[in-house]
Amino acid sequence: MTDRRTIIRSVGAYLPAQVMTNDDLSKIVDTTDEWIQQRTGIKQRHIAAEGENTSDLAAAAARKAMENAGITIADIDLIIVATTTPDMTFPATAAVVQQKLGMHHGAAFDIQAVCSGFVYAVATADSYLKNGLGKRALVIGAETASRLLDWTDRTTCVLFGDGAGAVVMEMGKPGEDRGVLATALRSDGQHWNKLYVDGGVSSTRTVGHVRMEGKEVFKHAVGMITDVVYKVLDDTGNTIADLDWFVPHQANKRIIDGAGVKLGLPPEKVVVTVDRHANTSAASVPLALNTAVADGRIKRGDLVMIEAMGGGFTWGASLIRW
Ligand code: UT7
């Protein structure tokens, strides 16, 4: 083991210009602003423009993250994009992002762990950099989830939105008291058919639409989230009271509140963006991180827990000294 940790040097984000409110949605499907807000906490979501692809959102977030770090693409040698909505079946969206950023060196690949994708990508970059395979990574969560929705299905189309968030990760200095302290990743494929897309290259040769047993997902979510949160706290000798910020996957305010109550977290330590962004899948955690860094809540030295849970099921958490 090295005494050097990977640190998160900067964050950036991008949201498409078009905002769709709950009232806008009520003109398309049989729903109301009241129902959506009561059951999910969502007030609005951003929707990518025609011709605006996941790689465009990802590249825009990456540019912001590099600008905030004061570096250029020449300083990056790894791009990981966590996404469930790739521009194309192949190549990896990360390769398209690499082209858009003008990078001809290093490596680029995608990670597919649905809503947990960003946590999986942080863990992957952490291991990759610690093992000396690269020096500095762009870790991006980016989605055009709106393209996977059945806009006649009110049980799913009200829940999701588009967006991207990115972080720059690099090795810290020896002995530096910050960085990724511990990560726990989990999956249990027996649950795949509770939250999935009913199309795919090998099965139907179509893209498909999101299908979900909402109540089943809800039932498992809080327990899975708290399980990995306690695991990384135990692994690092920390307790809930030590946390400065809890940055959860933004799927549903009731799930976030349920996890917060079970963990005994004061609500003011929980970063919530689901009201403005809806569920942006792999983009939700870096978008929330960007919000709380930009408004001055998350500061250098803070202890930050990120977590996510989604299709697969997959779930995970990472404890980061900012
Ligand atoms: O990253 C993980 C991604 N997914 C999730 O986190 C989803 C987890 N699940 C949930 O968030 C919730 O289960 C939902 C928000 C999806 C649904 O909330 P719920 O409290 O579990 O509602 P429900 O499915 O039990 O539906 C209650 C009622 C039903 O009507 P009846 O059968 O009681 O007459 C639904 O048909 O609400 C109806 N309903 C709607 N009504 C207005 C379902 N969707 C809508 C809608 N507008 N959009």
Side-chain angles (χ1 to χ4, degrees):
M1 276 296 280
T2 167
D3 67 338
R4 293 174 69 195
R5 296 199 184 100
T6 57
I7 64 166
I8 295 195
R9 178 156 159 182
S10 67
V11 194
Y14 173 80
L15 288 161
Q18 191 200 338
V19 171
M20 184 186 266
T21 65
N22 294 345
D23 284 335
D24 295 333
L25 265 169
S26 69
K27 295 179 187 116
I28 305 172
V29 283
D30 180 17
T31 191
T32 61
D33 176 48
E34 192 194 2
W35 190 96
I36 300 171
Q37 284 210 47
Q38 253 179 23
R39 303 281 175 141
T40 71
I42 297 166
K43 295 180 181 157
Q44 61 168 51
R45 70 286 294 140
H46 290 252
I47 303 290
E50 202 52 47
E52 193 177 35
N53 296 339
T54 295
S55 65
D56 297 310
L57 277 54
R63 283 191 194 99
K64 272 281 172 205
M66 288 191 290
E67 188 186 313
N68 291 339
I71 61 169
T72 70
I73 193 65
D75 301 309
I76 298 289
D77 53 12
L78 172 67
I79 299 175
I80 303 179
V81 175
T83 189
T84 301
T85 46
D87 289 16
M88 294 162 277
T89 302
F90 80 79
T93 299
V96 183
V97 171
Q98 188 184 26
Q99 179 250 329
K100 286 184 172 160
L101 297 177
M103 174 177 156
H104 304 285
H105 59 278
F109 58 88
D110 288 358
I111 280 191
Q112 159 56 302
V114 204
C115 297
S116 311
F118 183 75
V119 179
Y120 271 64
V122 166
T124 304
D126 182 39
S127 302
Y128 189 102
L129 297 176
K130 270 188 190 143
N131 282 298
L133 288 166
K135 288 191 167 51
R136 196 172 289 110
L138 270 171
V139 180
I140 307 167
E143 302 280 11
T144 45
S146 62
R147 311 244 157 98
L148 277 184
L149 298 175
D150 173 354
W151 290 96
T152 65
D153 176 10
R154 68 176 183 173
T155 68
T156 51
C157 77
V158 303
L159 302 174
F160 296 88
D162 302 337
V167 296
V168 171
M169 288 179 68
E170 65 188 20
M171 290 307 295
K173 296 181 184 68
E176 199 173 4
D177 182 27
R178 61 193 283 234
V180 177
L181 306 181
T183 301
L185 299 182
R186 289 279 292 113
S187 65
D188 186 349
Q190 72 165 313
H191 300 293
W192 73 262
N193 59 358
K194 297 184 177 95
L195 174 54
Y196 68 104
V197 163
D198 63 0
V201 180
S202 178
S203 52
T204 60
R205 305 180 200 190
T206 62
V207 172
H209 295 116
V210 174
R211 303 295 174 209
M212 178 173 71
E213 291 177 40
K215 272 200 182 318
E216 280 295 309
V217 181
F218 206 111
K219 204 172 80 186
H220 288 87
V222 172
M224 289 176 164
I225 290 163
T226 50
D227 166 52
V228 283
V229 166
Y230 282 130
K231 170 89 174 74
V232 291
L233 286 174
D234 285 351
D235 286 351
T236 55
N238 284 288
T239 67
I240 288 290
D242 296 320
L243 291 182
D244 294 298
W245 299 107
F246 184 64
V247 186
H249 171 49
Q250 308 284 321
N252 184 319
K253 181 71 165 50
R254 285 156 62 212
I255 296 176
I256 296 172
D257 290 346
V261 167
K262 194 166 172 199
L263 293 166
L265 267 166
E268 57 275 15
K269 287 190 175 182
V270 182
V271 177
V272 177
T273 52
V274 69
D275 52 332
R276 284 159 285 156
H277 302 163
N279 183 351
T280 56
S281 190
S284 94
V285 170
L287 274 167
L289 278 175
N290 184 71
T291 300
V293 170
D295 66 21
R297 274 179 289 174
I298 297 181
K299 295 180 293 297
R300 178 85 176 257
D302 283 353
L303 195 58
V304 179
M305 177 77 73
I306 62 171
E307 61 81 356
M309 181 269 177
F313 293 147
T314 54
W315 64 106
S318 190
L319 187 64
I320 301 157
R321 177 71 66 186
W322 206 258

